[in-house]
Amino acid sequence: MTLIEIFTEYVLNKKSLKDYVEVRKTIPTRGEFNDETLCEAEECLQRLKKEDPEVYDEMYKTLDEYFARDTGHMVEYPINFVKEILKIYQCDIPAQKICDQYKRGLDHHCQDS
């Protein structure tokens, strides 16, 4: 498996990104995020799951829909998902607002860019 395939598996299956950090250390390829950012993303996911489980579930449902519609850029889907999760807490944007924006991307003609 390639690094992006492993990353995708971790994101889609709600596996710990902190565990992914350890796994990727054994693969001599650079990833999109550094270790610190991935650990922060995992903390954000766990915080969102605890504080707003409905938005947490909706974000994953939307990610699943991006994959189901597959417009040919599957590599971007888990990366964009993590970026959206980070926005909630790094930029202090309400989780529901991020979720709504993320869902609206499904209807955009360039949804994967």
Side-chain angles (χ1 to χ4, degrees), residues 3-14 17 20 32-33 38 41 45 59-60 62-64 66-67 70 73-86 102 111-112:
L3 185 62
I4 191 62
E5 290 171 332
I6 295 168
F7 178 66
T8 299
E9 178 189 340
Y10 270 77
V11 173
L12 278 176
N13 294 309
K14 302 179 185 177
L17 294 178
Y20 166 73
E32 175 73 19
F33 301 103
L38 287 167
L45 282 164
M59 290 293 290
Y60 273 103
T62 304
L63 176 62
D64 289 341
Y66 275 103
F67 274 95
D70 184 15
H73 298 282
M74 293 179 77
V75 168
E76 298 297 324
Y77 306 148
I79 293 169
N80 290 340
F81 175 82
V82 169
K83 288 178 180 178
E84 294 301 313
I85 294 298
L86 287 167
Y102 187 54
Q111 66 172 305
D112 55 357

Side-chain angles (χ1 to χ4, degrees), residues 91-106:
C91 301
D92 199 29
I93 300 173
Q96 187 62 57
K97 183 175 182 177
I98 292 294
C99 185
D100 292 344
Q101 290 172 348
Y102 187 54
K103 287 192 297 188
R104 277 195 304 273
L106 289 168

